[in-house]
Amino acid sequence: MTEPRKSPAFLFDLDGTLVDSVYQHVVAWREALREAGIDLSVWRIHRRIGMSGGLLVQALLSETGVELSEDEVKQVQSRHAELYAEQIRTIAALPGASALLAHLTRTGVPWIIATSGRSAGARPMLAKLELPDDTPMITRDEVRWAKPDPDLFMSAAQRLGVEPAGAMVVGDSIWDILAARRAGSIGVGLLSGGYGREELERAGAFRVYEDPAAMLGHLHELGVRT
Amino acid sequence: MTEPRKSPAFLFDLDGTLVDSVYQHVVAWREALREAGIDLSVWRIHRRIGMSGGLLVQALLSETGVELSEDEVKQVQSRHAELYAEQIRTIAALPGASALLAHLTRTGVPWIIATSGRSAGARPMLAKLELPDDTPMITRDEVRWAKPDPDLFMSAAQRLGVEPAGAMVVGDSIWDILAARRAGSIGVGLLSGGYGREELERAGAFRVYEDPAAMLGHLHELGVRT
C-alpha cells in the first residue's frame, strides 16, 4: 500500500500577493499617521505593510519616539481602514492571480488566503479575484496575533487539514516569510508588493517570482505535479 | 609642497534621495499610463522611477507588448508631469536632507543636484529643501540622455570642476548607481526611495544608508574630514 503522492498546500497572503493594493495601504497609513501628528517617510511605512496594523503603528512610533495612547493607536487604525476603503475601487487583481488560484482548484491542490488585514478590507478583494464570497480565508479578526506571528498561517493550515510543514506560504513581504518560518512552513516570495528579490531571499524565501503569473508558470519548481 | 587634502565632491539625485517624492511619481505614472490604455502593476512602475521618462515608458511598453507612437509616448510623459505637479504640495524633504546639504556647504565640500526629472518638476523642490533658487542643479533638460546614462553625473562633476572619479553619487535607485559607475564615480545608496539595501549593494553601491540623516551621521565613512 502506498499513499497517494501529495502536492504541497498553499497559504496565500492577500495584499501585494494576489491584489495590487500595497500602495493604497501605504497612502492610507501615511494620511492616518499624519492626522495623528506623525510625519514619516513613505518608504518606512511601505516596509511595514503586511504586519498587523497594531504592530505597524507601534513599530513606527518607536522609530519616531512619538508616544500615543492605546485609544489614539486604535483611532489611527480605524482612520487607515476608512481611508483604505475609499480607494478600494482603484485596486486590481495582480496578473495571473485568478488564473493561478483557478488552476490550483482545478487540479485539486488545496489553498487558502491568510491575511493580516481585517475582514472588512479583505472580503471585497474576492470579487476582484473572481472568487466566490465563501472562499476560505483567515483574517486578522480570527487570530490573536497577526503576522509576523505564525498564528494566521497555522490556523490556515489547520482549516485545510494539513500540517504546516506540508504547506507553502506565498507572500510579498518579509513578514510573510518570517511568519512562514515560525509556523514551520516553506516561504515563497513574490516581487509584486515592491520588496526586492534579495530581501525576500535573505529572509528565507525558498523561491522568488515576479508575480502570481510567473509563479503559475513555475509550479513544477514548488513540487506541484499536474 | 603638498596639495591640500581633498574631500570627495557629492552629486545628489533628487527624488527619493533628498525629497520624499517617489510614491507621488509612481502614482502619476500609473494614472498617465492607464489613461493611455496601459494597466501595469504598481511595483513595476516603482522599479523604473529614476530613469529618464522616455526610457521608463519604453521599458514598460516592452514588458507589456503594447506599442505607442512617439507622439503618444510624449503625451504620456506630459500627462505624468501634469499629474505630478498636482501633488507637489504633498511632498516633503527627507529627514536630514537640508541639514546634510547645509553641513557640506558650511565645511566647504562641493555638491550639486543631478536629476532625471525636468526643471519644471525639480525646481519647486529647492524651497522644500530650504535652498536658494540658484542652487546648482543639472536637470534632464540639459543633457541628451538621462539616467542610467552617465551624462547627468558627468555634467554635474564638470559644473563643480572635479573629476568624476573624485565624486560620489548619492542616489536611491539602481539607475543612479549604474549611471555613477558608467561615469566613473563611486555610488552611495539611500533606502529612502523604497529599494532594498541588497539591491543597491548588488548594483555596486559602496555604502547604503537609510536616508540623508543617516548619511550625515556617517560622513567619515565616505572620506569626508570635517
Side-chain angles (χ1 to χ4, degrees), chain B residues 20-225:
Chain B
D20 197 7
S21 56
V22 167
Y23 291 73
Q24 284 87 347
H25 274 299
V26 169
V27 168
W29 279 117
R30 187 181 57 150
E31 187 55 28
L33 288 159
R34 184 173 291 173
E35 286 176 11
I38 302 162
D39 260 317
L40 272 169
S41 306
V42 180
W43 72 279
R44 289 192 188 274
I45 298 171
H46 189 172
R47 281 291 180 286
R48 304 293 181 179
I49 299 292
M51 47 166 61
S52 93
L55 185 54
L56 177 146
V57 177
Q58 291 301 346
L60 292 173
L61 291 178
S62 82
E63 281 193 23
T64 54
V66 176
E67 289 193 18
L68 293 185
S69 69
E70 206 169 311
D71 275 355
E72 288 169 318
V73 169
K74 279 192 185 145
Q75 169 63 16
V76 171
Q77 291 183 255
S78 121
R79 272 300 281 160
H80 161 264
E82 278 172 29
L83 292 162
Y84 178 71
E86 288 172 13
Q87 299 182 80
I88 282 183
R89 61 165 186 79
T90 70
I91 297 170
L94 280 161
S98 303
L100 170 62
L101 299 177
H103 177 84
L104 294 175
T105 300
R106 200 163 49 235
T107 53
V109 176
W111 63 268
I112 186 170
I113 296 170
T115 172
S116 279
R118 299 225 167 246
S119 178
R123 284 277 157 201
M125 297 300 126
L126 294 177
K128 295 180 190 281
L129 290 163
E130 301 166 33
L131 292 171
D133 287 344
D134 61 352
T135 299
M137 175 154 71
I138 307 279
T139 68
R140 204 261 166 278
D141 308 277
E142 291 159 72
V143 293
R144 173 91 192 269
W145 307 105
K147 303 170 199 169
D149 278 87
D151 306 32
L152 275 163
F153 292 130
M154 293 176 78
S155 295
Q158 194 172 27
R159 181 83 64 90
L160 292 182
V162 301
E163 290 298 319
M168 290 191 176
V169 163
V170 183
D172 68 299
S173 82
I174 59 172
W175 316 117
D176 293 309
I177 306 299
L178 175 56
R181 294 176 71 171
R182 294 171 75 186
S185 297
I186 293 170
V188 173
L190 299 187
L191 299 181
S192 38
Y195 276 82
R197 175 180 301 276
E198 298 80 2
E199 285 177 277
L200 293 166
E201 285 174 353
R202 193 168 289 190
F206 167 67
R207 294 274 186 193
V208 177
Y209 303 106
E210 290 200 333
D211 57 16
M215 178 176 155
L216 175 56
H218 294 80
L219 278 177
H220 56 281
E221 292 182 352
L222 303 176
V224 178
R225 298 157 186 272

